[in-house]
Amino acid sequence: MTTIDAQADVVTLINVFTVDADKQQELIDLLDKATNEVMRTLPGFVSANIHRGVDGTHVANYAQWASEADFQAMLANPVAREHLAAALEIATATPLLYRVASVHHA
Amino acid sequence: MTTIDAQADVVTLINVFTVDADKQQELIDLLDKATNEVMRTLPGFVSANIHRGVDGTHVANYAQWASEADFQAMLANPVAREHLAAALEIATATPLLYRVASVHHA
């Protein structure tokens, strides 16, 4: 279980992928595998939360890293880059970094 | 504090806004106000989590609703629509609905 907390000192990547409907599951599997085999082992990794688009043609990764430097180091890691390149063979990605501004509940 | 859990029976809206840097804080304030004054009072609202883009020109709302029907009812609500229209006067939005597929931790 992942928590979103405005006080937590993490940087959040929200990466929205656009993919053909017949490749959505393949992309989810690929992101699960990349996370388990590579991302989880890297310094500063906190969580990855893979989301299946209800429309069938999107996948989102809501990922938390301890710092922006850790995230940038991941992007420069050759094994991580290989996994990211595999995702980009079947999808387009719009990765953006955020910090939590506010959290509201019912 | 919000939780992301693949077993939770919620639908997730990830709405990525693009905004001029000098309007980013105004958009965050507007989304905070709309959430507190309107969204929180609507049936099926679970959480809204407003994220400030590190690049200065994006804002993301990671919001959870009890069901897709509750989310659609919000979109049809006249007061909610008024707040959404105000956001779209200063930003563009890419709202997409998801279900959590998997959660990974370090």
Side-chain angles (χ1 to χ4, degrees):
Chain A
M1 199 179 68
T2 298
T3 60
I4 304 176
D5 180 347
Q7 269 68 58
D9 190 21
V10 296
V11 63
T12 302
L13 166 74
I14 302 179
N15 198 351
V16 176
F17 296 88
T18 302
V19 63
D20 287 345
D22 64 353
K23 296 277 178 79
Q24 190 192 38
Q25 186 60 51
E26 182 180 339
L27 178 60
I28 290 170
D29 293 345
L30 189 156
L31 294 172
D32 279 341
K33 191 168 142 79
T35 302
N36 279 326
E37 293 183 3
V38 187
M39 304 306 172
R40 282 183 62 191
T41 69
L42 298 180
F45 174 83
V46 176
S47 81
N49 305 270
I50 313 297
H51 292 66
R52 180 190 312 275
V54 168
D55 67 3
T57 61
H58 291 90
V59 172
N61 183 10
Y62 182 101
Q64 297 168 317
W65 290 83
S67 72
E68 198 170 337
D70 288 323
F71 173 73
Q72 298 295 348
M74 178 275 288
L75 289 183
N77 179 290
V79 185
R81 290 172 73 96
E82 201 175 299
H83 281 269
L84 295 173
L88 295 181
E89 279 177 20
I90 60 168
T92 59
T94 307
L96 290 165
L97 282 186
Y98 300 89
R99 294 208 174 254
V100 181
S102 61
V103 170
H104 307 263
H105 284 265
Chain B
M1 199 178 71
T2 299
T3 60
I4 303 176
D5 180 347
Q7 269 68 56
D9 189 20
V10 296
V11 62
T12 301
L13 165 74
I14 302 179
N15 197 350
V16 176
F17 295 88
T18 303
V19 64
D20 287 346
D22 63 354
K23 295 278 176 81
Q24 189 192 38
Q25 187 59 51
E26 182 181 340
L27 178 61
I28 290 170
D29 293 344
L30 189 156
L31 294 172
D32 279 340
K33 191 168 142 79
T35 302
N36 279 326
E37 293 182 3
V38 187
M39 304 305 172
R40 281 183 63 191
T41 69
L42 297 180
F45 174 83
V46 177
S47 80
N49 306 270
I50 314 296
H51 292 65
R52 180 191 311 277
V54 168
D55 65 4
T57 62
H58 291 89
V59 173
N61 183 11
Y62 182 101
Q64 297 167 317
W65 290 83
S67 72
E68 199 170 337
D70 288 323
F71 173 73
Q72 298 295 347
M74 178 275 288
L75 289 183
N77 179 289
V79 185
R81 289 171 74 96
E82 202 175 300
H83 281 271
L84 295 174
L88 295 181
E89 279 176 22
I90 60 169
T92 60
T94 307
L96 290 165
L97 283 185
Y98 300 89
R99 293 204 175 258
V100 181
S102 60
V103 171
H104 307 263
H105 283 264

